[in-house]
Amino acid sequence: MERGGTVYIITNFTHTTLYTGVTSDIMFRIKEHKDKEYPKSFSAKYNTVKLVYFCSYDSIEEAIAEEKRIKGGSRKKKIKLIDSMNPEWKDLWEIVKEW
């Protein structure tokens, strides 16, 4: 059975740093970021714990391809992507927890 994946973007509370990632378990992965499970990681160092964008795909391969596309884009494009889904830049963690 093929497992899906989710691309996500997290930021800090001042929205100065963006981190794009991919996972097969969005709830688990975002909790890791919020709990700073890896204290020396980029997300822990820059306090990127606010989930502002996510999109799920049927296969992890599709999700990885989309993550690479987003990472290869400019900050301006990432902001436009976030604004299209979440114009108020609310923390979407509560939505993910209800899945």
Side-chain angles (χ1 to χ4, degrees):
M1 181 162 92
E2 196 168 346
R3 188 166 187 175
T6 303
V7 177
Y8 62 92
I9 300 175
I10 54 178
T11 190
N12 56 4
F13 289 99
T14 57
H15 305 161
T16 54
T17 304
L18 299 174
Y19 174 88
T20 305
V22 65
T23 182
S24 61
D25 187 340
I26 186 72
M27 191 166 71
F28 180 79
R29 186 66 180 116
I30 298 305
K31 186 160 178 10
E32 283 184 329
H33 286 297
K34 288 189 173 286
D35 293 344
K36 294 184 174 62
E37 197 71 31
Y38 304 100
K40 294 184 179 185
S41 68
F42 178 92
S43 63
K45 181 178 178 181
Y46 292 98
N47 200 33
T48 56
V49 296
K50 183 177 175 185
L51 178 64
V52 291
Y53 173 86
F54 67 94
C55 187
S56 295
Y57 295 86
D58 291 334
S59 75
I60 192 67
E61 292 81 12
E62 286 177 281
I64 291 168
E66 181 62 6
E67 178 207 25
K68 288 179 181 179
R69 188 191 68 75
I70 292 170
K71 280 185 171 183
S74 66
R75 178 180 174 84
K76 187 175 181 178
K77 287 182 180 179
K78 291 175 186 124
I79 290 170
K80 187 175 179 180
L81 184 63
I82 295 164
D83 284 341
S84 72
M85 176 192 187
N86 185 7
E88 295 177 9
W89 288 51
K90 292 181 181 177
D91 190 347
L92 304 174
W93 171 239
E94 292 302 319
I95 293 170
V96 168
K97 283 193 330 186
E98 293 175 7
W99 272 8

